[in-house]
Amino acid sequence: MAAPATSAPSAPPAPVAPGDLSEGGSRGPPDLPPEPKQLPELIRLKRDGGRLSDVDIRGFVRAVVDGSAHGAQIGAMLMAIRLRGMDLEETVALTRALATSGQQLEWPEAWRSQLVDKHSTGGVGDKVSLVLAPALAACGCKVPMISGRGLGHTGGTLDKLESIPGFTVIQSPEQMQGLLEQVGCCIVGQSKKLVPADGILYEARDVTATVDSLPLITASILSKKVVESLSALVVDVKFGGAAVFPSQAQARELAEVLVGVGAGLGLRVAAALTAMNNPLGRSVGHSLEVEEALLCMDGAGPPDLRDLVTRLGGVLLWLSRQAETQDEGAARVAQTLDDGSARDRFERMLAGQGVDPGLARALCSGTPAQRRQLLPRAREQEELHAPGDGTVELVQALPLARVLHELGAGRSRAGEPLRPGVGAEVLVSVGQRLRRGMPWLRVHLDAPALSAAQRRALQEALVLSDRAPFAAPSPFAELVLPP
């Protein structure tokens, strides 16, 4: 029982600062939250090396979306971030603000541990997503893959799929859920309702020389994945001559930021560092890459493509606790390629996203020659021959991609039309011994012929040496795992 209260002589009240209500009563107006900073103040703060609070970052993103931020102010803030950087907490706050700037994707609770995805920073001949999404679906995962288009020398997953007549990348959240229920995967474009702030900042980064900012890259990648409500994500961070990051050390820096920010958002992220000096696989160009993806799903195809698909898939199955080890996960993914179950999911995804079921069936069950008849083809083909004897050290991906871009396989501005049949087949492997005059590249083009400059650039992409033939190394170099 509490002791009875006793009264004491009353003392004069202590002085209270205006607005201080700790002693009760209403001796002054309460403290109000600070006024949100105006955009020029936020830009100045970051320009001078200051730290932006969560409220500051949310205010900036809100102004981007509602249109009150002028283009010059957006560009100035992006450049301030590019030059001054952001710490981990700022990057987490920016990612979260972008992710919540639009509609959120919601899935059945029973899917929570099955939802996985993969993202690539972009490369030449990178058709991994076309194979990995249906392979993971065949392993029991749900893969709501939001992909992008090609810009510059890198190819876009959506452009490759749109080379298949009828394929539709625009799908509503309800349609996505239906595809995940019936197929297990979908590969779609980013709608204006999903992460609209990122769409605006992405375009601004492209014209303000801020594409290579680590916080901005991280927030752009992860914001689109946060809205997918994933249990696990693997990011393929490319490095090398045809990648955003020339060195493995630079790629590792981004990988560590991605993994750390993912952890701050409650998302299990692993980042694989993979080499992008040679094209991935043997084919570059939209229709040709679809053909090669199908070849991989036949249990065949180039070994470097299969290696990357199975390793990335193994990481995801392990990360989402659907496999005991990465090796066990990789073996399960490989099995879907060998037994045809990944190809079956791919056929069902095509039919579910607008491709005529008969065409989808013919593509997935036909021979390579039959498939070529069903997809857009270029009007001409031209072969290049080895200029001398030697062992293939390197087929430089960047000059190859640049020539194909000139021929119509790529775009310089968003919305430009593409020539889906334009591309190239690399007819040799790294480590292979060549004799002078052997064909090493077949170019598919709509123009009558390659120009002298294009032919010279392509021939210079073939690097030969005097050493003995050797086995080509795997492009998979390193894996950064979450804490």
Side-chain angles (χ1 to χ4, degrees):
M1 183 172 167
T6 58
S7 60
S10 60
V16 179
D20 184 352
L21 302 185
S22 58
E23 296 295 317
S26 55
R27 299 185 182 91
D31 282 340
L32 297 174
E35 285 289 320
K37 298 184 183 76
Q38 297 300 305
L39 281 179
E41 187 180 354
L42 293 178
I43 295 166
R44 189 181 306 113
L45 176 61
K46 180 48 69 177
R47 181 200 68 187
D48 294 342
R51 186 181 179 283
L52 299 176
S53 69
D54 282 17
V55 172
D56 294 337
I57 290 168
R58 288 199 303 271
F60 168 67
V61 170
R62 190 181 308 113
V64 168
V65 175
D66 68 23
S68 59
H70 302 303
Q73 292 175 316
I74 294 173
M77 178 62 89
L78 294 178
M79 185 56 73
I81 293 170
R82 165 64 180 79
L83 296 177
R84 291 297 192 168
M86 281 183 150
D87 64 24
L88 187 65
E89 290 183 0
E90 285 178 294
T91 309
V92 168
L94 178 60
T95 306
R96 186 179 287 115
L98 294 182
T100 56
S101 67
Q103 186 176 8
Q104 307 295 296
L105 295 174
E106 296 180 357
W107 314 115
E109 181 63 29
W111 292 2
R112 179 173 293 275
S113 65
Q114 300 169 270
L115 287 156
V116 300
D117 197 1
K118 165 260 177 192
H119 178 85
S120 171
T121 58
V124 178
D126 184 0
K127 69 281 294 177
V128 167
S129 292
L130 276 64
V131 183
L132 184 56
L136 288 167
C139 291
C141 296
K142 304 293 185 184
V143 190
M145 190 174 285
I146 300 175
S147 294
R149 299 192 179 277
L151 194 61
H153 73 271
T154 61
T157 297
L158 300 182
D159 299 317
K160 294 165 192 177
L161 286 167
E162 284 185 334
S163 72
I164 303 171
F167 190 89
T168 305
V169 302
I170 302 301
Q171 302 288 328
S172 69
E174 294 75 22
Q175 290 171 315
M176 289 177 69
Q177 181 162 334
L179 285 161
L180 295 182
E181 287 172 347
Q182 297 157 22
V183 181
C185 64
C186 58
I187 302 179
V188 304
Q190 180 181 348
S191 78
K192 292 183 178 179
K193 292 183 179 179
L194 290 176
V195 204
D198 176 64
I200 297 167
L201 295 186
Y202 189 90
E203 289 184 7
R205 285 167 55 209
D206 192 46
V207 297
T208 55
T210 56
V211 169
D212 61 348
S213 164
L214 291 185
L216 296 177
I217 293 172
T218 300
S220 179
I221 291 172
L222 293 185
S223 61
K224 291 189 281 287
K225 303 308 177 183
V226 168
V227 299
E228 294 176 6
S229 304
L230 302 176
S231 68
L233 169 70
V234 65
V235 183
D236 182 359
V237 182
K238 304 289 189 188
F239 67 90
V244 175
F245 301 102
S247 74
Q248 188 170 339
Q250 290 171 305
R252 187 184 302 113
E253 188 178 356
L254 172 62
E256 290 171 347
V257 174
L258 286 164
V259 172
V261 172
L265 294 165
L267 175 60
R268 289 170 63 80
V269 180
L273 276 56
T274 68
M276 180 41 66
N277 294 305
N278 302 282
L280 182 61
R282 296 286 194 90
S283 296
V284 182
H286 304 101
S287 293
L288 294 176
E289 292 189 45
V290 170
E291 291 179 31
E292 189 163 79
L294 283 162
L295 202 59
C296 185
M297 287 183 273
D298 290 336
D304 59 341
L305 174 60
R306 179 184 171 99
D307 180 65
L308 206 49
V309 168
T310 54
R311 288 208 195 194
L312 294 175
V315 170
L316 271 175
L317 289 178
W318 170 75
L319 202 60
S320 60
R321 300 181 174 88
Q322 298 181 72
E324 291 293 325
T325 65
Q326 294 177 43
D327 287 345
E328 178 196 316
R332 285 178 56 192
V333 172
Q335 183 63 37
T336 71
L337 305 179
D338 294 335
D339 66 16
S341 57
R343 190 181 58 231
D344 174 65
R345 298 287 178 146
F346 187 70
E347 177 185 335
R348 289 159 60 186
M349 183 184 78
L350 296 185
Q353 291 192 234
V355 177
D356 179 86
L359 173 59
R361 190 174 310 111
L363 265 178
C364 292
S365 62
T367 65
Q370 291 169 333
R371 288 167 179 163
R372 183 152 295 185
Q373 301 299 315
L374 298 171
L375 294 169
R377 290 183 295 164
R379 290 195 293 268
E380 306 290 340
Q381 295 182 17
E382 184 172 334
E383 287 189 351
L384 300 185
H385 300 86
D389 296 352
T391 299
V392 180
E393 284 287 337
L394 181 65
V395 177
Q396 296 183 79
L398 185 57
L400 174 58
R402 283 175 172 164
V403 170
L404 295 178
H405 183 280
E406 291 175 11
L407 294 172
R411 57 169 66 88
S412 299
R413 297 185 306 277
E416 278 187 325
L418 297 172
R419 296 179 181 271
V422 168
E425 296 172 88
V426 181
L427 306 176
V428 298
S429 300
V430 170
Q432 178 183 341
R433 187 72 179 174
L434 293 187
R435 295 291 182 190
R436 178 185 174 88
M438 287 178 62
W440 75 273
L441 185 71
R442 182 181 300 123
V443 182
H444 297 244
L445 67 166
D446 286 335
L450 293 167
S451 70
Q454 289 169 338
R455 199 173 290 112
R456 182 168 58 253
L458 291 174
Q459 288 288 38
E460 290 174 354
L462 177 66
V463 179
L464 301 178
S465 75
D466 294 331
R467 70 165 164 158
F470 60 93
S474 167
F476 197 104
E478 187 180 340
L479 184 65
V480 179
L481 293 173

